[in-house]
Amino acid sequence: MENKPLLSICIPTYNRAGILEVTLKRIVNQIAELENKDLVSLFISDNASTDNTREIVQRFVNPDIHIEYHCNERNLGPDRNFLKCFQAVRGKYVWLLSDDDPVSRGAIPYLLNIIKEDDYGLIHFVMDSSQKSGFEVYSNVNVFLASVSYWITFISANVFQSEDVSKVNVNDKLLHSYLMQIPFFIESAIAHDKSVMIYDKMLEEPLYNTNGGYNFFKVFVDNQFNLWHQFVRKGSITHKCFEEVKKNTCRKYIKFHIAELLILRRQLYFYFYILKAIWLSVKRINKRILRILFKGK
């Protein structure tokens, strides 16, 4: 394509050919209905799949639609594959879309109509139940990010500007966080005067559900909060915004996973975190008691 696309949809994938086929079909069908198909490019980053992923992608090759397929020589892990997507992007905006998150009917033209109108940093799709519809433009980055909160971890619900990719310091710690996307999303929201919250349904129920084999608390508590706190230390977002994110994560997200981790999955690290939390609480109480006792002498 001669002209730079307005939107690049990037799909990292690994051994999910059947699921990827469903997701690609929805995307390609919506692009095919666009009057100007050059507005959208599609990039698939295959993390060295051993199934028929390449064959599935080839079925969707169309001279009128820009589809690029890349297969890594070896499995780089999820975060490095996300980075491959960011580095290969051609459009002004990047939509990092999980291969198991099918887009809702009309979502792509709807998104294009919004980003055509103005320059936005981060476009976020509200995924929890909401009585609102349409979209809302935010000019206060702290209010916006506090509203996005822990949903910043959901790759498919966030679209950001590709020009902000180079602003993120990608180090080994970030590439092992399972949340490599967070700094890119936050950086883009900070770098621009306006961001957008979309309340209309943009994604359907996921086709596949797994926790990816990682330690839930390590990723969504330790790693997530550390990534947010980097922006607090730099003065890019306020401490109040960060506290709101932590509060929402604990009250609205983590508590709904505790029963599943404890009863259904029986994951041992859950018990470890519970014991660790109790131990730290006991230590804090002991310190306070000792401080009171010595202060009284």
Side-chain angles (χ1 to χ4, degrees):
M1 289 189 302
E2 295 181 359
N3 298 323
K4 181 179 179 180
L6 181 60
L7 175 67
S8 285
I9 302 174
C10 301
I11 305 178
T13 190
Y14 175 68
N15 278 352
R16 289 184 180 176
I19 291 173
L20 178 64
E21 183 176 17
V22 176
T23 301
L24 285 177
K25 185 176 181 180
R26 292 204 181 196
I27 294 171
V28 170
N29 286 346
Q30 291 190 36
I31 296 175
E33 294 175 357
L34 295 174
E35 185 176 342
N36 183 1
K37 299 173 183 58
D38 289 347
L39 287 172
V40 184
S41 66
L42 187 56
F43 178 79
I44 295 97
S45 185
D46 183 353
N47 214 357
S49 294
T50 56
D51 61 7
N52 62 328
T53 292
R54 183 187 295 272
E55 178 187 331
I56 291 297
V57 175
Q58 290 302 316
R59 294 178 189 174
F60 291 92
V61 172
N62 185 317
D64 296 326
I65 299 174
H66 183 80
I67 301 177
E68 184 179 351
Y69 171 78
H70 170 79
C71 185
N72 299 324
E73 293 182 1
R74 59 184 178 84
N75 191 313
L76 304 176
D79 283 347
R80 290 185 185 275
N81 202 30
F82 294 171
L83 185 60
K84 280 280 186 183
C85 289
F86 292 163
Q87 293 172 336
V89 73
R90 302 181 69 248
K92 178 180 179 180
Y93 290 92
V94 191
W95 186 358
L96 185 65
L97 183 68
S98 177
D99 57 10
D100 62 349
D101 287 327
V103 296
S104 297
R105 182 175 179 82
I108 293 174
Y110 180 72
L111 176 61
L112 289 172
N113 286 335
I114 292 174
I115 59 181
K116 280 179 188 176
E117 295 301 316
D118 210 334
D119 185 75
Y120 301 114
L122 185 66
I123 298 96
H124 176 71
F125 311 145
V126 176
M127 299 302 299
D128 54 358
S129 57
S130 174
Q131 300 300 319
K132 295 183 179 180
S133 61
F135 65 93
E136 185 176 0
V137 178
Y138 285 73
S139 56
N140 186 314
V141 68
N142 286 288
V143 173
F144 175 73
L145 288 175
S147 299
V148 174
S149 191
Y150 56 86
W151 284 103
I152 201 85
T153 64
F154 184 23
I155 62 170
S156 300
N158 297 280
V159 176
F160 72 104
Q161 287 217 26
S162 61
E163 68 176 36
D164 300 315
V165 168
S166 61
K167 297 174 183 177
V168 176
N169 177 29
V170 179
N171 53 42
D172 191 62
K173 187 174 181 180
L174 178 61
L175 289 170
H176 288 86
S177 67
Y178 285 94
L179 295 173
M180 191 277 298
Q181 69 277 9
I182 286 181
F184 293 89
F185 295 161
I186 296 178
E187 194 69 61
S188 200
I190 292 168
H192 301 269
D193 292 334
K194 290 179 281 189
S195 288
V196 176
M197 194 84 71
I198 296 179
Y199 299 103
D200 292 308
K201 189 174 184 180
M202 300 293 285
L203 298 167
E204 300 297 330
E205 289 297 318
L207 301 170
Y208 185 73
N209 189 18
T210 179
N211 77 335
Y214 47 70
N215 182 318
F216 177 86
F217 287 94
K218 175 64 178 174
V219 172
F220 290 98
V221 179
D222 291 348
N223 294 355
Q224 184 196 176
F225 291 166
N226 285 335
L227 290 170
W228 278 97
H229 195 247
Q230 291 177 14
F231 291 92
V232 177
R233 288 200 305 267
K234 291 190 297 184
S236 302
I237 62 174
T238 63
H239 187 72
K240 181 180 178 182
C241 171
F242 179 45
E243 288 299 316
E244 189 69 21
V245 170
K246 288 195 294 183
K247 181 180 71 175
N248 288 336
T249 301
C250 294
R251 292 182 179 179
K252 299 180 181 180
Y253 184 47
I254 292 176
K255 71 178 185 179
F256 291 108
H257 291 268
I258 289 177
E260 181 184 17
L261 293 169
L262 180 61
I263 301 171
L264 300 179
R265 297 186 184 180
R266 299 179 182 177
Q267 297 190 6
L268 293 177
Y269 69 76
F270 171 79
Y271 298 96
F272 169 77
Y273 265 76
I274 292 293
L275 291 172
K276 183 179 178 181
I278 294 172
W279 171 245
L280 290 174
S281 296
V282 170
K283 284 182 68 176
R284 282 195 292 267
I285 292 170
N286 285 338
K287 283 183 179 180
R288 290 179 182 176
I289 292 172
L290 290 172
R291 195 179 300 121
I292 293 170
L293 291 174
F294 282 106
K295 190 176 181 180
K297 289 185 176 181

